Amino acid sequence: MPSGDILIGQTLGHYRVIDRIGSGGMGVVYRAEDLHLGRTVALKFLSPALAGDAQAVERLQREARAASALSHPGICTIHDVGSDAGVHFIAMELIQGDTLAARIAGRPMPVAEVIDIATQIADALDAAHGAGIIHRDLKPANVLLTPRGQVKVLDFGLAKQMPGAADETVAAATLTADGTAVGTLAYMSPEQARGEPIDARSDIFALGLIMYEMATGRPPFAGPTSALIFDAILNRDPSPPSSAAPGLPSELNVLIVRAMAKERSRRVPSASELLSELRGIKRQLESGAARAARSTRSIAVIPFTDLSQARDQQYFCEGMADEIITALSGLEGLRVASRTSAVRAHEKGLDIGEIGRALNAQVVLEGTVRKAGNRLRISAQLTSVDDGFQLWGERYDRDMDDVFAIQDEIARAIAAQLKVKLLDAAQAPLVRPGTSNLEAYNLYLKGRYHWQRRNHVHLRLALDAFAQAADADPDYALAHSGLADVYTVMAIYSVRPTSEMLPKAQAAAERALMLDPELPEAHHSIGAIRFWMQFDWSGAESAYARALELNPRLALAHAYRGVLLGALCRRAESCAATLRACELEPHSAVVAYIAASVHYWAGDVAASARLAERAVEFDPEAGIAHWALASARWAAGDLAGSAEAAARAVGTARAPLFVASLGVAHARRGRTADAEALLAELLARAAREYITPVAFAELYLSLGRVDEALEWLERGCEDRSCFMIRVAAAPEWRALRAEPRFIALLERMSLPASPL
């Protein structure tokens, strides 16, 4: 009797059918009474279309054997497997509730619920994997949620014994042999989709997709046809979940991205480790919420006001505030607004209440500096945002030699006022100067002040200041690291050729690292050199990882690591890294336009435009922010808006990259003569200044002159031009993907050559 003919009230074996309760995939499910034990169960039969299919019968029985070997509260219990009059069925636990697919229903779920459900699924997978069983068809429709929130994982019909498990005969059937793609397409791992041998990490990938869908309300891989979904699974990374769910904790965002990594070696290695990380994130969020409930300790430290007669100490005033921010950031239970956010608020002329509201701070530290010769007069006061009352104030009349002690005293006074526990009972200084040479320190602060502003004029001033600081104290590691960073950024911005900047940057970074092997800034400097100028992808990734291990709050290291991952077409990871940088420095134009570029490469055009617009808002004179906006608008099909943004970039500085960008925008709109005129300008300028070959390649390509574009790209590779890192990722190079010379170029640079 085919299962489609099952009748209500019919008895099969010792089960009496009560009513039909659902169907899906290969199965039809009925509620039934177990006449032997007097309990209500669920009976799963083959769907009518598969009732006579021998392989489907084997699959149904496989599910029973696989799941019955497991005993776990998160896995649906199998009671019996049987057949009657040619009808095959499984008797299983009857679960009241609905599927996770119905719970998601196209809407993001609360973070706490995402973590709770993912934790329960991971726990169930850990038990299955421990028994040597891979699920292979994990998806929201195969996860039931009881009214009490208990997760039950269903449908082990595609379950497979791992190699070396006790009963490999379960895996031997032809219908699930390696080389055959099995499972539900939208939730397959790349290795499943290719029909390759799989292991437990395929289930990890599927759980990553489920977590993504719970967090965002949408599956990461979707499309109108199976071919498009296959292509997305194999070749395309979705935007990180935090781009669609901005409130997602960064730790959870990174974990989801890791679980979804296309290469198995980059995934979370086991359900056990995934479970541990989920529990850790839950504890961290709960403890953070508890701390927030107990305390409102958050502070913004704005740059001190320069009262010196010459008004030439702004760099010192910002440096004072920056040192105090660094000291306070190391205190447990105190949230400190980022330096860039505080500077932006100060530059806007906001009052204390406005600063507190803008930066979500309960108290604000402000102060003044009057410097005359070797004498300092520093006043500092701590003000409550809620009522404007001064909580603490002090004036210091000291010699310049006492500047570090003053900074430390201010930090300790704030900790005492806010009742923040000092971690070091031995009273070690909160402010740890990298030098005892005050001249070197003063020059370093000047270099850092100019470095933060990043245009060509300030870069040269920063270079001079860092160089003088390193001369004044050759053992000052931070000065050498600053020097390396300026040389590197000069190469990135094509101020000078890589061949000239590389040896100088490398010598300075290596010197910094030799002086202080634990200095995170030095590891970041090494990473930037390896990435931008040496095309050493693995070496750069290791250096960035070490920098972030030493200082997880180093925003620029997160941002540059994101660019590295983006250049390697690891799109979801790259976007997640830059969004973490944006969390740490939410008002930084530099971080915002880096994130905009990475999202543009990843194909998230809306996020790219939004981030570029933020960068422009933060710093309207940052030409590179307008340049990033021009790219995002072009990708969105707004050719006029792209040309407008490129023109504004040129208006801030007639840098070759910006001129080339405007020429490209003209060419795309059919204004060939204008594009040719800008090309002629750059060719003339190349006789007297360095211009990255990539600028010429982009212009020639936009004019349809492919051979010239390839010639300039090959020259850029020889020159190790920093902007060559974009050639595998940026969509403007898509037109060259079929060119043998371009493919050879990517291979030469060890960049991915798969289609965008």
Side-chain angles (χ1 to χ4, degrees), residues 280-295 333:
I281 292 171
K282 182 179 181 180
R283 285 194 300 270
Q284 184 176 344
L285 293 178
E286 288 175 346
S287 64
R291 283 196 302 270
R294 292 194 303 269
S295 172

Side-chain angles (χ1 to χ4, degrees), residues 549-614:
E549 181 185 354
L550 292 166
N551 181 3
R553 299 187 59 81
L554 199 58
L556 197 58
H558 282 287
Y560 273 18
R561 178 175 174 271
V563 179
L564 164 64
L565 297 173
L568 298 176
C569 297
R570 289 160 59 183
R571 297 179 178 90
E573 293 175 86
S574 68
C575 292
T578 57
L579 290 176
R580 176 58 178 151
C582 289
E583 289 178 11
L584 293 169
E585 287 287 1
H587 294 86
S588 167
V590 174
V591 168
Y593 67 64
I594 288 174
S597 294
V598 165
H599 280 75
Y600 162 67
W601 297 350
D604 192 341
V605 176
S608 177
R610 186 169 61 249
L611 288 160
E613 286 163 358
R614 281 175 55 186

